[in-house]
Amino acid sequence: MKIYLWGQRNFFGGGVHFANFSNAMKRLNFFGIQVHEVDIQGQDLQKVADHTTSQDINILFFPINENISLKGLIIKWGIFETDILPTFYIDYLSNSQLIWVPSQWAQQILLNHGIAKEKIDIVPEGVDPNVFHPFSRDLKIKDDVFRFYMLGKKEVRKGFSELLAGFKLAFENDPSVLLYLKADNFWSDQVKKTDKNNELRQELKALDLTNVKQITGQIQTQQLSLIYSYCDALAFPTRAEGWGLPLGEAIACGMPVITNFHSGPTEYLEPVKDKIRCLDFILKKIDCSDFISSWGEGGSWALASPENIAEAMLDIRNNYGYWCEKALEASAIIRSQFSWDRSVDKAISSLKEKDMITIQIDLHI
């Protein structure tokens, strides 16, 4: 038996998920099961498919060309941010033996769309607890400046506009409070990074904010963990996430966080809900121009007001000792319950429960 992991390593959320899950999944090689990564952008996929057999398992992290015929079982990851999904995506997921989703929220969305429960298993994503860890927060700069941080694609879904408006309400141009933004990522090849940087600069200019700093360029994993330690708190008013890797990583680092308790992140926010600063929000109908036009209606997502974001940011700064204590408690929970190894444990359990995999060890002693 071979397990083929079809995806691509990159610095976006899906690529990070694929890379870390693949690294952890390769432990199965110890038990005689061969785990192979397939780079869906850098390999001849039909050539790989020709080597698959009826005994193999294919795990698709991203869609591949439908003309490529895979032999063996097919498992598809369902990662999405909206509560109404287009027919083509439901059809894509349904054309498989099993669907993995990272949260109970996502499972319920698929159930609402008519997919049978026995076909859906929850396999959460994770963090690397050795990299995203609070030990480096002791090295944080100790000065009179309070630093908030936010990172994500520069798009409406991430809540940048509400965050900037809330930050202005709370702190105006107070030089003792800074907001660092990593916002030049994008989901579409048709959108240039420079366009997103210019868009953000124009927003800052319109708000007349001088205490907001942009972080641009590619960030390595170790650099990212150091930024979590350098800054005092994460402000992450995202409207919806499939999982929300940065949020989980920040919590693992022992960073106080502000966020919406909604969509995919609720899977790992639930056990730490009393240890993070949850925002009040309303469910707002998604404007297709705000998202992916081909996605269709989309449903609704969480919208926090600038006023509520401002209140939360003031609360974190003014009661920082309290929130730091809570953050350390949350870090221990996230690192123990939501590592990539735990993610693979869930995946192996799913395969075994569905009789898709049998692990055997022959001892010649």
Side-chain angles (χ1 to χ4, degrees):
M1 172 186 286
K2 296 179 182 178
I3 297 179
Y4 291 89
L5 308 175
W6 299 73
Q8 185 185 42
R9 292 171 178 252
N10 56 48
F11 287 94
F12 297 103
V16 173
H17 174 197
F18 175 73
N20 284 281
F21 185 89
S22 298
N23 291 342
M25 191 72 166
K26 287 174 183 176
R27 75 165 83 144
L28 290 182
N29 291 333
F30 178 80
F31 299 102
I33 297 173
Q34 299 179 47
V35 178
H36 297 276
E37 279 188 43
V38 183
D39 183 345
I40 61 172
Q41 295 295 326
Q43 290 184 244
D44 184 336
L45 302 190
Q46 186 56 63
K47 185 176 180 180
V48 177
D50 290 342
H51 285 86
T52 60
T53 72
S54 60
Q55 303 301 312
D56 296 334
I57 298 174
N58 298 283
I59 303 173
L60 275 60
F61 288 73
F62 306 103
I64 62 174
N65 190 318
E66 59 184 16
N67 293 322
I68 295 174
S69 179
L70 300 178
K71 295 180 283 294
L73 299 171
I74 294 177
I75 299 171
K76 294 180 179 178
W77 280 93
I79 308 290
F80 44 85
E81 299 91 1
T82 59
D83 51 10
I84 295 181
L85 307 175
T87 300
F88 75 83
Y89 188 65
I90 293 298
D91 290 343
Y92 160 75
L93 291 178
S94 298
N95 187 24
S96 63
Q97 279 72 49
L98 182 61
I99 302 167
W100 284 344
V101 293
S103 65
Q104 295 182 57
W105 175 82
Q107 182 186 56
Q108 187 57 54
I109 299 302
L110 295 187
L111 292 175
N112 294 345
H113 284 74
I115 296 180
K117 188 172 184 178
E118 57 268 20
K119 194 170 183 174
I120 312 165
D121 277 350
I122 299 172
V123 178
E125 297 184 44
V127 299
D128 184 337
N130 298 312
V131 174
F132 299 101
H133 189 287
F135 61 80
S136 58
R137 290 192 68 77
D138 291 338
L139 306 176
K140 199 171 74 64
I141 294 175
K142 295 177 175 62
D143 56 20
D144 294 329
V145 178
F146 195 96
R147 297 170 175 88
F148 287 98
Y149 182 48
M150 166 62 180
L151 72 162
K153 303 181 186 73
K154 181 61 179 73
E155 60 185 27
V156 171
R157 177 173 63 87
K158 294 293 184 178
F160 279 101
S161 295
E162 300 90 75
L163 173 61
L164 291 173
F167 183 73
K168 181 178 175 68
L169 282 174
F171 306 110
E172 194 63 36
N173 285 317
D174 182 350
S176 70
V177 184
L178 299 179
L179 172 60
Y180 285 86
L181 299 179
K182 180 69 176 76
D184 59 352
N185 290 330
F186 52 92
W187 60 264
S188 171
D189 291 337
Q190 285 72 49
V191 182
K192 297 179 180 179
K193 287 184 179 181
T194 52
D195 293 340
K196 289 300 182 182
N197 287 333
N198 291 335
E199 180 183 308
L200 182 56
R201 278 193 286 269
Q202 290 301 315
E203 285 189 49
L204 296 176
K205 183 178 179 180
L207 289 167
D208 192 27
L209 281 171
T210 59
N211 52 348
V212 178
K213 310 295 182 182
Q214 288 181 256
I215 301 173
T216 60
Q218 203 170 79
I219 296 179
Q220 302 295 327
T221 300
Q222 287 185 325
Q223 292 175 301
L224 181 58
S225 67
L226 291 175
I227 292 174
Y228 288 135
S229 297
Y230 175 74
C231 294
D232 295 282
L234 181 78
F236 198 75
T238 179
R239 298 185 180 189
E241 296 287 331
W243 179 255
L245 279 172
L247 181 58
E249 291 168 350
I251 297 173
C253 285
M255 195 178 201
V257 302
I258 298 167
T259 194
N260 287 318
F261 185 82
H262 178 68
S263 62
T266 55
E267 190 70 17
Y268 57 88
L269 293 181
E270 179 61 44
V272 299
K273 191 175 181 181
D274 62 336
K275 307 178 194 312
I276 62 174
R277 185 57 164 82
C278 293
L279 295 164
D280 295 329
F281 62 83
I282 61 170
L283 289 177
K284 180 182 182 293
K285 184 175 175 59
I286 299 172
D287 182 342
C288 289
S289 63
D290 292 343
F291 197 51
I292 307 173
S293 58
S294 63
W295 205 246
E297 184 178 350
S300 60
W301 50 25
L303 177 65
S305 70
E307 291 78 11
N308 192 242
I309 293 172
E311 179 185 350
M313 296 179 95
L314 285 166
D315 180 20
I316 290 287
R317 191 194 65 164
N318 295 338
N319 301 288
Y320 193 59
Y322 169 82
W323 286 112
C324 282
E325 289 181 9
K326 292 296 183 183
L328 287 177
E329 295 172 8
S331 168
I333 294 171
I334 293 296
R335 286 183 290 111
S336 64
Q337 296 185 18
F338 294 95
S339 68
W340 290 111
D341 282 339
R342 289 294 297 272
S343 177
V344 168
D345 287 347
K346 293 281 189 179
I348 294 172
S349 294
S350 171
L351 295 174
K352 291 174 69 177
E353 289 169 4
K354 298 292 191 299
D355 293 325
M356 293 181 174
I357 187 173
T358 301
I359 295 177
Q360 294 180 335
I361 302 177
D362 293 326
L363 293 178
H364 299 288
I365 56 176

